[in-house]
Amino acid sequence: MNAMQTSATAIASCLLLLLCSSMATSTGCTTDSDCQLNGLCTGGTCVCDAAWGGSDCSVLQFAADGELAYGGPDANVTSWGGGPPVFDTERSLWVLFVTEIANHCGLSEWQRQSTAVAATSPSVSGPFTRDYLAVPTQAHNPYYVYDPASKTHLIFHIGGGDNPDRSNLTCVDGTTPAVGVTRTFPQRNTVYSAQPYVHAAKSLSGPWTRVNITLPPNGQSSSAWGSDNPAPFIFPNGTLLMLTRKYNGTAAKLKIVPHDTIWLVTAPSYLGPYTFVHDEPLFSDYFKAVHPFNEEDPCIWQDARNNFHALFHFTRGHAWSPDGLSWSWGGGAPAWTMTVADMTCGPSTCKTAPGEVATVKDTERPRVWVNPITKLPTLFFVASGGNTQPTGVGKGEKGFTIVRKLKTTK
């Protein structure tokens, strides 16, 4: 090999080394945000918190298979998620506010027959047993939060909780039959998607009273709320931060994406006035730079470093924020898969099966319970029907609520 060849080989080797070095750097991290605030960027590598894994700390890490938190294949009701749970110091029990479809009907009736029930357990992870009806029809997707400033328990939900129960269906065991499904009442509240609704109580045993909240002024660009999924967070001083989902039915019929978008709301207290932080949905920068997407079912929590996090249903994606106002989107890579112990699931129904483990495809209404002492995300709740959303009629489909323990140590 002559001197020119040797020199060319050396240059090529240097270029290859630089290219490899560049590739390694591009897949590493430079700030904690590159680790989705679920860990720390140390020496170009994400060191993830116990509950998170993956090269960018974007995947939930579970300590065990999921378990039934409320309802299940053998229950006589359909439930559809709830939480996070709260400890009742008066009774020394954990309380989970969960969606239950009235009159033992299935999820096909969620727009008409949803209620919020209080369920209790001596354990924070359940299983929970029905205690009492907290909010009657129509009340779907209850999200519990405590306001320390006014010492008030709050349930945010869809629907006003003031529709009389006028079902003429004969349902059994948490499913809707194929016959007799003739409805003589409105399909949904006239203001069903117009705003979030709030019920308040001074005791976790109730009674619960609907609160008149002040909404954004009509002049605000998004005054037509359509916030089907309110996810509130309340600071110690009573200030409220909330994620909501807005559904655009016209866009959905035309198959325009996005037609389900996430919005950010603030208020000086849970009474309002509620104000949209932005004049456009969250992640609009991602819509423009990469591609638009649909999302719903937000949940929100704050970690031990005071960062904010959110999970969603459609993509099972994760979002994060250092202050609750400026949010980043992780690209929609799924943050979880769900396995459930002692269960098997077919295409549309599940059954109890001791010793078996089912991997369920349908996981909605995510909630994260943060241990108030350790400040670590510890429990993950979802609604599920098994491998499909259980809205069928005459198929024996049934919804239930699952809980799965997150890793808290590495």
Side-chain angles (χ1 to χ4, degrees):
M1 182 180 294
N2 58 35
M4 183 174 292
Q5 290 175 318
T6 301
S7 177
T9 301
I11 292 172
S13 298
C14 288
L15 288 173
L16 180 62
L17 182 62
L18 286 171
L19 176 61
C20 292
S21 176
S22 174
M23 290 174 64
T25 302
S26 67
T27 58
C29 63
T30 56
T31 70
D32 293 345
S33 188
D34 295 329
C35 309
Q36 301 197 7
L37 299 184
N38 288 322
L40 300 176
C41 180
T42 304
T45 300
C46 289
V47 180
C48 303
D49 298 336
W52 295 91
S55 61
D56 58 353
C57 304
S58 62
V59 182
L60 286 170
Q61 303 296 293
F62 295 103
D65 293 319
E67 299 175 342
L68 291 171
Y70 188 76
D74 298 331
N76 65 354
V77 295
T78 271
S79 71
W80 200 241
V86 56
F87 188 68
D88 185 352
T89 57
E90 296 176 359
R91 297 184 292 169
S92 295
L93 290 170
W94 289 93
V95 182
L96 182 74
F97 294 98
V98 61
T99 295
E100 181 181 289
I101 309 302
N103 299 315
H104 302 283
C105 288
L107 193 65
S108 63
E109 307 309 296
W110 75 270
Q111 293 178 333
R112 314 161 182 87
Q113 293 294 95
S114 289
T115 66
V117 303
T120 59
S121 171
S123 168
V124 65
S125 59
F128 291 84
T129 303
R130 192 184 198 277
D131 186 13
Y132 68 92
L133 176 66
V135 186
T137 55
Q138 168 68 9
H140 191 74
N141 193 29
Y143 202 121
Y144 170 82
V145 66
Y146 181 69
D147 176 26
S150 64
K151 296 180 172 56
T152 304
H153 302 282
L154 302 168
I155 301 175
F156 285 69
H157 55 89
I158 306 170
D162 55 358
N163 276 8
D165 180 357
R166 296 179 290 183
S167 174
N168 60 340
L169 299 179
T170 302
C171 298
V172 294
D173 70 11
T175 68
T176 306
V179 295
V181 187
T182 302
R183 303 179 178 91
T184 58
F185 53 94
Q187 178 168 328
R188 59 173 66 186
N189 235 341
T190 55
V191 290
Y192 181 79
S193 297
Q195 65 176 73
Y197 288 88
V198 183
H199 273 71
K202 290 298 182 181
S203 167
L204 287 168
S205 297
W208 296 86
T209 303
R210 197 170 97 177
V211 176
N212 292 320
I213 62 175
T214 304
L215 297 175
N218 291 332
Q220 191 163 356
S221 62
S222 300
S223 58
W225 273 62
S227 57
D228 285 358
N229 308 131
F233 179 90
I234 297 183
F235 294 91
N237 66 357
T239 301
L240 177 140
L241 181 72
M242 186 166 70
L243 298 175
T244 69
R245 168 251 201 174
K246 183 177 180 180
Y247 174 70
N248 186 327
T250 301
K253 289 179 182 179
L254 296 174
K255 298 183 179 180
I256 296 173
V257 177
H259 50 73
D260 292 89
T261 51
I262 304 300
W263 293 73
L264 182 63
V265 181
T266 59
S269 81
Y270 71 88
L271 296 171
Y274 288 70
T275 304
F276 286 95
V277 176
H278 309 293
D279 287 333
E280 59 183 359
L282 285 184
F283 319 127
S284 290
D285 54 345
Y286 188 91
F287 292 170
K288 299 166 187 174
V290 186
H291 63 79
F293 60 91
N294 292 316
E295 201 48 276
E296 69 163 7
D297 291 359
C299 70
I300 186 172
W301 74 96
Q302 191 177 35
D303 67 20
R305 293 186 290 272
N306 296 321
N307 299 309
F308 287 89
H309 301 269
L311 292 171
F312 307 87
H313 162 216
F314 285 148
T315 65
R316 302 186 188 182
H318 172 253
W320 64 97
S321 170
D323 56 10
L325 300 177
S326 299
W327 286 81
S328 298
W329 176 242
W336 75 86
T337 56
M338 183 57 66
T339 58
V340 188
D342 301 324
M343 183 186 294
T344 58
C345 294
S348 61
T349 61
C350 299
K351 63 180 181 179
T352 300
E356 299 290 333
V357 176
T359 299
V360 298
K361 298 177 182 178
D362 179 44
T363 54
E364 308 182 30
R365 304 288 198 254
R367 297 281 196 280
V368 171
W369 178 73
V370 176
N371 187 313
I373 297 174
T374 65
K375 306 297 184 185
L376 296 176
T378 303
L379 295 175
F380 181 61
F381 291 81
V382 293
S384 180
N387 287 322
T388 186
Q389 189 181 73
T391 53
V393 171
K395 299 179 180 180
E397 297 178 357
K398 187 182 301 183
F400 40 85
T401 301
I402 299 169
V403 61
R404 196 170 181 189
K405 296 176 180 177
L406 295 166
K407 287 186 177 181
T408 54
T409 58
K410 304 200 75 169

